[in-house]
Amino acid sequence: MKQVEFWFDFASTYSYPAALRIEKIARSSNVPIVWRPFLLGPIFKGQGWNDSPFNIYPAKGNYMWRDLERICGSLGIPFRKPSTFPRNSVLAARLACSFAEEPWLAEFIRETFLANFAHDRDISDRAVLASVLEIVGQPESVIDLSQSPDAKTKVRAATERAMSLGIFGAPSFVVGSELFWGNERLETAVAWARRRD
């Protein structure tokens, strides 16, 4: 059975509901997940944008916020529009990339998304991420380990890999050579992986 690679940015709005529901959906189909944090900023810059398209195009942004509110409401996921958008997700991405093999990674990812999109907390703030690490049973000193040159290289490599796969937004799901984009494509990606067993 093929795995589903879940490519996401912690600042990505539609990655939020996808991150909170992917494990249950994948588990019900017995499909393995690989968490793939990366940064959308360099990809947007490559498209000529210096900001999120949801900020550049106000009508699109207004629609997105209402749409996300509807999605979260229908799923019973808490949502509060962040007072700053997009938030800087570099530190969170470094942590996730540095500890990709740790058993607490998935919970860390979910809790970081909740901090941003349910509690309106600044995920670029060390203290905020320290509180997330505390939830998952890890000390604040873990953050120091994510500041190494190796950690920075891992995030850069992940973003370059996303570009090489043709990823242009988040969330994206990769199954073999197939790319699926958007929260609403999660079930399609999982089903595709299962059919390729």
Side-chain angles (χ1 to χ4, degrees), residues 71-145:
I71 290 169
C72 291
S74 68
L75 294 171
I77 294 173
F79 172 71
R80 184 191 303 172
K81 181 181 177 181
S83 51
T84 300
F85 176 78
R87 286 209 161 104
N88 186 313
S89 58
V90 173
L91 182 55
R94 285 179 184 164
L95 276 162
C97 285
S98 297
F99 299 97
E101 306 302 322
E102 295 297 323
W104 49 265
L105 176 70
E107 186 181 9
F108 170 79
I109 290 168
R110 288 191 300 272
E111 291 295 336
T112 301
F113 271 112
L114 284 165
N116 194 10
F117 291 106
H119 308 302
D120 189 20
R121 302 184 73 196
D122 184 358
I123 59 170
S124 69
D125 187 315
R126 181 187 175 102
V128 170
L129 289 178
S131 69
V132 171
L133 286 166
E134 184 178 7
I135 292 171
V136 303
Q138 298 303 309
E140 182 178 350
S141 58
V142 165
I143 297 174
D144 297 324
L145 299 175

Side-chain angles (χ1 to χ4, degrees), residues 36-82:
R36 298 289 194 202
F38 75 109
L39 298 176
L40 276 171
I43 290 177
F44 286 166
K45 284 180 181 176
Q47 297 173 4
W49 297 331
N50 60 1
D51 197 351
S52 166
F54 294 127
N55 288 340
I56 295 171
Y57 306 105
K60 188 173 186 176
N62 291 336
Y63 172 83
M64 177 275 293
W65 289 119
R66 180 61 188 132
D67 189 43
L68 188 61
E69 190 175 41
R70 288 192 301 255
I71 290 169
C72 291
S74 68
L75 294 171
I77 294 173
F79 172 71
R80 184 191 303 172
K81 181 181 177 181

